[in-house]
Amino acid sequence: MEHQITYTAINRQVAFKNTGQTLLDISIGNGIPHLHECGGNGVCTTCRVRVLDGIQNLSPKTAFEQSSCHARKWDPSIRLACQARPKGDVTIQRLIWSSGEVNNLQKELAPEGRAEERPIAIIFCDIRNFTNLSSHNLNFDIAYMLNKFYTALGEPILMNNGVIYQYVGDEIIGVFGTSGGTARKNCEDAIRAALGMQYALDTLNRTDLKDIQVKLKSGIGINFGTAFIGHLGHPTHKQFSVIGDPVNVASRIQDETKATQTNILVSETILENVDRETILTGRSFHSKLAGKDNPVHLHELLGFKNMDLQLELQASMNTMLEDEDQFAAIFYEKVFAEAPFVRALFRKNMTDQGRLLTHMLGGIVYSLSRPEHLKRGLARLGQNHVQYGVKAAYYPIIKKAMLETIDEVLGENKTPQTLQAWHTALDFVIDAMKSQAHPPAHPMQKEPVN
Ligand code: HEM
Ligand code: FES
C-alpha cells in the first residue's frame, strides 16, 4: 500500500511504500534537496523538519534524536528526517534550506538567561568613510549597498564555522567558537574568514557596486580571548549575546586599521594560537588602544604563505555555482560523452539530479570547516553510490569531468591554484566516499584501475 509525504513549502507530494525508509531517504530518492551534513547519523540536526500533520505515523525518536531535541528544547513537532521513519501519510516542512543557515544553529546551544565562558575569536569589519557615503547617496541606495555588503561579507564568516553576531550600522561582527572548538581552530577560522571577506569585497566592487559607481573599502580587526556567551535580556526578548573584554578589544583593533592605514589587523593572541609559520604578516604596531592602559602588539594580516585549500574553494564557489543548473548540465554532458555506459545508472530527472549534486558540492565547501560531520556525510554518500551501481573505477571519470566543468564555468575568474584546490578537494571527497563503500582490497590484491 502506498502513502504520501507532503512537502508544504514546495507544494509537492511524493508516494512511498512502507519499506522502513527514513524521511531523508524519501527526499533524496525523489530528488528533493534536503540538507544532511552528517550523512544521516543524527548528530548535525541539519535535516530537521516540522511535522504539520501525521506525526503519529512516524517511528518513535531514536536515542540520537532524543538527545538533540532535549539539548535544543524543541517542541514535539520537530523531528530529524534522518531518524524518523514514516508508516503513513505525513506533511512536513524542511526547516534548514541552505548551508549558510547551518552555523546560526550554534546559537541554539548557548545557555538561556545566563552566560558561559568560551574561548572565541572575534572579527569586527566596517566600511571606511561610510558617513561620507551616506550623505552623498539616497537612503534607498544606501540600503542596497549595505545589504550587498552584509551578504557578501557575511558569507565567509558562515563558510568558516562562524556566527554572524550583529550588524551595527556599517559594521558586521563575526564570532568563531561559540559552540566549542580548539583555540587554534577558532583563530584559523577567523583568519580565513577575514581574508575571504577581503576577497568578497573586491568581487563586490568589481560587480554589483560598479554599476552604481561605488567602491567600498573595509577595515577588519581580529582578536581572541575568553568571552561570555548566552541568551540575555528581558524574558520576552532574549538575545544571543557575546560579552567580555576580548570583544571590546576586537572593536578597538578595527578602529586602529584607520590610523595604521591597514586592511586587516590581528592581535598577538591570534598569532600565538596558530602556526605562525603559515601566516603572511606585514607591518607590526605597538598600539595604545582606547580604554587600555598598556599598548598591545598588532600585526597586519596579508594572507597565507602557501595556497590555502579552503580559502581557494570558498573564493571560487559562488561564481562557480552562480547558475547551478547550467553547471550541472555542462558536467553531465561531459560525463555522458566520456562514458555513455553510466547514463543507464541515472533514473531521476537530470535537472533534479543536477540540483542534488550542486547542493552537495556547495555543502561540502561549507562543511570543510566541520570535518567531523563532513566525513560521515561523504561515507554515507559513498554507500548510496554502491546501491546506485557505481563502481570504484568510475570515480576518475567524474573527477575529470568535474575539473573540466569548473575550468570552463570559472573562465577568467580562476587561477592555477583554484584548479589545484578543486583537484585536491575532489580527491578528498572521493576517498571519503570510497572509504566505507569500497573497503580496500586485500593488500596482495590490486586496486581497481583508477
Ligand atoms: C565527487 C564524487 C560524487 C559526488 C559528490 C556525487 C554526488 C551525488 C549526489 C549528491 C547524488 C544524489 C543522491 C544522494 O545524495 O545519494 C548522486 C546520485 C548519483 N550519482 Fe553521484 N556523486 C559522485 C560520484 C559519482 C560517480 C563516480 C558516479 C558514477 C558514474 C555517480 C553516479 C550517480 C548516480 C547513478 C546517482 C543516482 C541517480 C538516480 O538515482 O537517478 N556519482 N551523486
Ligand atoms: S542529523 Fe540528520 S543528517 Fe545529520
Side-chain angles (χ1 to χ4, degrees):
M1 186 184 157
E2 283 203 337
H3 306 285
Q4 305 279 344
I5 303 291
T6 305
Y7 293 78
T8 48
I10 51 170
N11 199 16
R12 200 165 147 194
Q13 277 203 325
V14 298
F16 72 98
K17 290 210 178 88
N18 196 353
T19 53
Q21 286 180 302
T22 64
L23 284 171
L24 180 66
D25 294 331
I26 295 172
S27 298
I28 293 173
N30 286 282
I32 297 176
H34 199 142
L35 272 172
H36 55 290
E37 198 172 84
C38 74
N41 283 291
V43 289
C44 71
T45 80
T46 57
C47 65
R48 63 180 73 179
V49 293
R50 185 175 292 284
V51 183
L52 301 169
D53 200 11
I55 198 148
Q56 71 284 2
N57 290 331
L58 291 177
S59 58
K61 288 184 182 144
T62 60
F64 277 134
E65 194 177 356
Q66 292 218 1
S67 75
S68 293
C69 292
H70 182 72
R72 293 168 180 80
K73 304 186 185 75
W74 283 341
D75 71 67
S77 68
I78 301 185
R79 297 291 311 260
L80 292 182
C82 69
Q83 307 294 303
R85 296 172 197 274
K87 41 188 192 311
D89 292 354
V90 183
T91 301
I92 58 169
Q93 183 186 16
R94 287 163 298 159
L95 293 178
I96 313 289
W97 288 81
S98 70
S99 303
E101 288 171 74
V102 175
N103 284 9
N104 278 334
L105 305 183
Q106 295 181 27
K107 293 182 191 165
E108 293 177 330
L109 296 172
E112 283 284 329
R114 63 192 171 84
E116 270 174 21
E117 257 191 343
R118 309 241 166 109
I120 54 160
I122 314 113
I123 285 186
F124 271 72
C125 169
D126 103 329
I127 306 180
R128 293 263 166 82
N129 295 326
F130 186 71
T131 322
N132 195 20
L133 262 179
S134 309
S135 56
H136 289 92
N137 284 281
L138 298 172
N139 285 344
F140 183 83
D141 288 338
I142 295 291
Y144 172 85
M145 267 189 274
L146 272 181
N147 233 352
K148 290 279 175 194
F149 176 79
Y150 290 152
T151 308
L153 278 78
E155 203 83 346
I157 296 177
L158 298 176
M159 282 189 193
N160 288 292
N161 208 25
V163 163
I164 299 178
Y165 173 40
Q166 273 178 357
Y167 306 115
V168 185
D170 59 343
E171 202 161 61
I172 178 165
I173 307 168
V175 185
F176 301 79
T178 48
S179 61
T182 60
R184 178 178 176 143
K185 168 141 183 19
N186 299 341
C187 291
E188 275 176 3
D189 281 341
I191 286 180
R192 195 171 285 114
L195 295 169
M197 287 163 104
Q198 211 174 32
Y199 178 85
L201 188 61
D202 285 345
T203 311
L204 190 63
N205 282 329
R206 273 189 284 113
T207 53
D208 294 344
L209 298 185
K210 199 171 171 204
D211 299 339
I212 53 168
Q213 292 168 351
V214 169
K215 194 165 180 200
L216 295 181
K217 278 197 84 180
S218 66
I220 299 177
I222 322 180
N223 190 29
F224 172 80
T226 305
F228 287 87
I229 309 247
H231 285 93
L232 305 178
H234 187 276
T236 64
H237 188 71
K238 284 192 187 142
Q239 268 183 356
F240 174 73
S241 310
V242 185
I243 40 178
D245 196 48
V247 185
N248 308 333
V249 171
S251 166
R252 305 271 181 272
I253 296 176
Q254 187 284 119
D255 285 340
E256 205 56 23
T257 58
K258 292 170 203 148
T260 54
Q261 291 285 303
T262 45
N263 292 327
I264 310 178
L265 277 179
V266 296
S267 64
E268 180 70 21
T269 48
I270 286 278
L271 292 186
E272 277 166 3
N273 280 294
V274 297
D275 180 359
R276 247 184 145 114
E277 290 306 304
T278 60
I279 310 287
L280 193 62
T281 51
R283 291 169 292 157
S284 290
F285 306 93
H286 229 63
S287 305
K288 168 93 178 60
L289 303 181
K292 292 276 146 198
D293 294 336
N294 298 320
V296 292
H297 213 163
L298 303 176
H299 306 266
E300 183 182 22
L301 176 68
L302 298 177
F304 287 102
K305 282 192 184 147
N306 296 318
M307 181 193 85
D308 182 73
L309 179 79
Q310 275 171 262
L311 194 57
E312 288 293 337
L313 299 178
Q314 292 170 4
S316 59
M317 193 190 74
N318 283 343
T319 318
M320 187 176 119
L321 297 182
E322 198 173 342
D323 184 341
E324 293 177 275
D325 290 349
Q326 189 203 21
F327 181 92
I330 299 176
F331 168 69
Y332 283 115
E333 199 181 309
K334 288 187 192 295
V335 173
F336 299 146
E338 176 82 19
F341 57 93
V342 301
R343 178 70 186 86
L345 300 177
F346 290 86
R347 296 153 301 146
K348 271 186 219 89
N349 150 340
M350 287 314 288
T351 309
D352 284 351
Q353 168 61 28
R355 287 190 189 145
L356 291 182
L357 176 87
T358 51
H359 197 241
M360 172 65 78
L361 279 181
I364 288 172
V365 175
Y366 272 87
S367 45
L368 275 170
S369 58
R370 287 182 290 275
E372 68 291 356
H373 287 176
L374 180 61
K375 280 205 170 154
R376 289 180 194 230
L378 291 173
R380 142 101 182 221
L381 187 66
Q383 284 158 358
N384 289 353
H385 277 67
V386 176
Q387 309 298 321
Y388 303 147
V390 173
K391 307 233 178 319
Y394 299 168
Y395 280 94
I397 304 168
I398 292 289
K399 182 180 163 192
K400 180 167 173 278
M402 185 77 76
L403 286 175
E404 286 174 6
T405 310
I406 294 171
D407 191 3
E408 188 176 323
V409 171
L410 285 180
E412 289 176 354
N413 296 310
K414 64 169 185 290
T415 62
Q417 285 95 313
T418 319
L419 292 180
Q420 180 55 44
W422 278 101
H423 174 90
T424 312
L426 285 173
D427 280 345
F428 166 82
V429 168
I430 290 171
D431 281 351
M433 282 176 74
K434 289 202 291 189
S435 63
Q436 302 286 316
H438 302 275
H442 186 274
M444 298 302 286
Q445 218 174 318
K446 271 190 146 186
E447 272 281 283
V449 193
N450 58 22

